[in-house]
Amino acid sequence: MSEVEGIGPHALPGLREKVERIIEEARRQGASASEVSVSMEQGLSTTVRQGEVETVEFNRDQGFGITLYVGQSKGSASTTGSGDEAIRETVAAALAIAKHASEDEFAGLADATLMARELPDLDLYHPWSITPEQAIEQALSCEGAAFAVDQRIRNADGTSLNTHQGCRAYGNSNGFIGGYCSSRHSLSCVMIAESEGQMQRDYFYDVNRIGEALLDPQTIGRRAAERAVRRLGARPVPTCEVPVLFAPELATGLFGHFIAAISGGNLYRKASYLEDALGKTLFPEWLSLDERPHIPRALGSASYDGDGLATYAKPFVENGRLLSYVLSTYSGRKLGLPSTANAGGVHNLFVSHGDEDQAALIRRMGRGLLVTELMGQGLNLVTGDYSRGAGGYWVENGEIQFPVQEVTIAGNLRDMFRQIVAVGCDVETRGNVRTGSVLIERMMVAGK
């Protein structure tokens, strides 16, 4: 692997210069258009288990991705080398691929007039000067706090501290070059509780751009252990059709499925149940979904998308109605629509919510299933059919009665989204989708 220079904002001018150099080389070799992405990354990962250090890994690398166009034909190649010879060879490889590729009338760069001009600083870079010894100490402290919670915590399934920082630059032959540095740090703990011959596993974690802003290790360990103990005594329930309440960390996945269904790639491939849904009411009228890409330090923030277009705040769903698909330049052309500056996905999706917390939604549900764990990948995006193994808690008279395991929840996303009764104020902030608990009026729960 080639040597990597120091990572940080001071490296961005050098990355941009490399992008310009590769674009010029592509032009020299005969490409009609080109786009280049470069990245430099480093990270530290450590895992402990049962008081012993299992892994300590340090990574430091770089990469160059080059996409060239010869007319309407496209070729891509990548390399980790930054020397002149490596760049010449990679450009030549991409060019050879383009010359043998079929023409695609929709291929090509975004219009030069649409390229981002102003790139706000979103405060995404907060390196954490934690040593491997300090990382191990925090992970051991986290696990130790978990074991101290309850004598039924008999085993650990790994406590991991990860810290990552990197810089990226993207540019194309239409005159755009942008770059930014970012960081991401996390601490997670997975514990196993055992009682009367039954074992249950659960976890807790935190993630943040700023390492020092993570929840303290003892809190993360305690919550992981408490969640595992709480699941002891889990059992299936008889098959029934009841309300289902998704915990916030799982509700993010529901809206992730929705974003996939309105994404241009699935739509032009006719692989989505929401084909031709633009302008239709898909959710209750009180619910909206909007993107906010410029929130400082947020995990999903970005000033430009994968095509070099400026990101901007916008609703995808307003008052229950689908206003916009999620489109890149290419998928927009395929569908005859303008790009929504979402090449690479959405950036900070916010789901509107009420003022009830999870406990209030459990009371409102009355009788049903609180889902805190999902298993399997039982989703057919073409039909919207949804079927997942699940675990959680059975609710009667507005109160949790006992933990549940070995059940399957099933429905159709079209019906599930229309039957959302409420979204809680217990908003999940550890990812790209911000939503609270989601109460769905009725789903099939298949048990014993």
Side-chain angles (χ1 to χ4, degrees), residues 221-275:
R222 283 195 300 270
R223 290 189 184 179
E226 289 164 357
R227 285 165 63 104
V229 168
R230 195 180 179 200
R231 294 202 41 74
L232 288 170
R235 59 186 189 268
V237 294
T239 296
C240 55
E241 194 175 24
V242 292
V244 170
L245 178 63
F246 287 83
E249 61 268 28
L250 302 183
T252 61
L254 285 180
F255 294 106
H257 297 326
F258 176 74
I259 292 299
I262 63 169
S263 292
N266 288 321
L267 292 167
Y268 75 69
R269 294 185 185 98
K270 300 188 181 301
S272 169
Y273 75 100
L274 289 180
E275 187 183 352

Side-chain angles (χ1 to χ4, degrees), residues 237-246 254 257 365 367-369 371 374 378 384-390 394 408-413 415-417 419-421 438-446:
V237 294
T239 296
C240 55
E241 194 175 24
V242 292
V244 170
L245 178 63
F246 287 83
L254 285 180
H257 297 326
M365 179 167 61
R367 176 178 183 267
L369 179 67
V371 177
L374 289 170
D385 290 336
Y386 180 94
S387 179
R388 303 281 302 274
W394 187 252
T408 299
I409 57 173
N412 184 279
L413 289 179
D415 299 327
M416 291 163 61
F417 291 139
Q419 293 177 11
I420 292 177
V421 174
V438 171
L439 177 58
I440 295 177
E441 183 178 1
R442 194 162 294 275
M443 289 183 71
M444 182 60 68
V445 177

Side-chain angles (χ1 to χ4, degrees), residues 124-130 138 161-165 183-187 206-217 220 297 299:
L124 305 181
Y125 184 68
H126 295 271
W128 194 9
S129 58
I130 188 170
Q138 288 209 21
L161 187 148
N162 296 282
T163 175
H164 169 270
Q165 63 188 72
S183 58
R184 184 184 180 96
H185 317 287
S186 65
L187 178 59
D206 197 18
V207 59
N208 204 296
R209 295 281 187 193
I210 304 172
E212 294 84 356
L214 290 171
L215 281 174
D216 66 89
I220 291 173
R297 295 180 297 283
L299 292 171

Side-chain angles (χ1 to χ4, degrees), residues 62-282:
Q62 66 182 7
F64 299 79
I66 303 169
T67 297
L68 308 182
Y69 299 89
V70 177
Q72 297 302 122
S73 299
K74 171 183 170 183
S76 298
S78 61
T79 180
T80 59
S82 60
D84 291 342
E85 183 177 356
I87 288 173
R88 280 195 301 269
E89 290 177 354
T90 308
V91 168
L95 204 58
I97 293 169
K99 288 177 179 177
H100 287 90
S102 301
E103 288 193 358
D104 183 343
E105 63 177 307
F106 303 107
L109 305 178
D111 191 295
T113 61
L114 301 178
M115 295 295 165
R117 297 291 175 236
E118 296 181 6
L119 302 178
D121 179 7
L122 301 177
D123 195 21
L124 305 181
Y125 184 68
H126 295 271
W128 194 9
S129 58
I130 188 170
T131 66
E133 292 77 15
Q134 290 169 332
I136 291 168
E137 182 183 356
Q138 288 209 21
L140 288 172
S141 174
C142 182
E143 185 186 78
F147 274 116
V149 164
D150 193 293
Q151 63 182 6
R152 291 170 292 179
I153 295 293
R154 303 283 179 84
N155 205 343
D157 205 17
T159 297
S160 298
L161 187 148
N162 296 282
T163 175
H164 169 270
Q165 63 188 72
C167 295
R168 295 177 176 272
Y170 166 86
N172 58 48
S173 54
N174 273 355
F176 174 81
I177 293 184
Y180 65 94
C181 295
S182 65
S183 58
R184 184 184 180 96
H185 317 287
S186 65
L187 178 59
S188 64
C189 181
V190 186
M191 302 303 293
I192 298 171
E194 183 178 358
S195 179
E196 299 180 356
Q198 186 185 72
M199 298 174 67
Q200 292 290 343
R201 172 183 180 274
D202 216 322
Y203 68 96
F204 196 74
Y205 73 98
D206 197 18
V207 59
N208 204 296
R209 295 281 187 193
I210 304 172
E212 294 84 356
L214 290 171
L215 281 174
D216 66 89
Q218 294 77 22
T219 297
I220 291 173
R222 283 195 300 270
R223 290 189 184 179
E226 289 164 357
R227 285 165 63 104
V229 168
R230 195 180 179 200
R231 294 202 41 74
L232 288 170
R235 59 186 189 268
V237 294
T239 296
C240 55
E241 194 175 24
V242 292
V244 170
L245 178 63
F246 287 83
E249 61 268 28
L250 302 183
T252 61
L254 285 180
F255 294 106
H257 297 326
F258 176 74
I259 292 299
I262 63 169
S263 292
N266 288 321
L267 292 167
Y268 75 69
R269 294 185 185 98
K270 300 188 181 301
S272 169
Y273 75 100
L274 289 180
E275 187 183 352
D276 299 323
L278 206 59
K280 295 182 179 178
T281 299
L282 305 177

Side-chain angles (χ1 to χ4, degrees), residues 254-334:
L254 285 180
F255 294 106
H257 297 326
F258 176 74
I259 292 299
I262 63 169
S263 292
N266 288 321
L267 292 167
Y268 75 69
R269 294 185 185 98
K270 300 188 181 301
S272 169
Y273 75 100
L274 289 180
E275 187 183 352
D276 299 323
L278 206 59
K280 295 182 179 178
T281 299
L282 305 177
F283 292 89
E285 291 187 357
W286 52 265
L287 193 145
S288 297
L289 301 176
D290 66 285
E291 180 185 39
R292 306 177 194 177
H294 295 167
I295 299 173
R297 295 180 297 283
L299 292 171
S301 293
S303 59
Y304 60 90
D305 79 340
D307 292 330
L309 304 189
T311 54
Y312 59 98
K314 56 185 170 293
F316 291 113
V317 173
E318 192 169 67
N319 299 325
R321 191 166 67 93
L322 179 62
L323 298 186
S324 172
Y325 292 140
V326 176
L327 303 174
S328 65
T329 296
Y330 182 80
S331 63
R333 287 171 181 162
K334 292 280 283 188

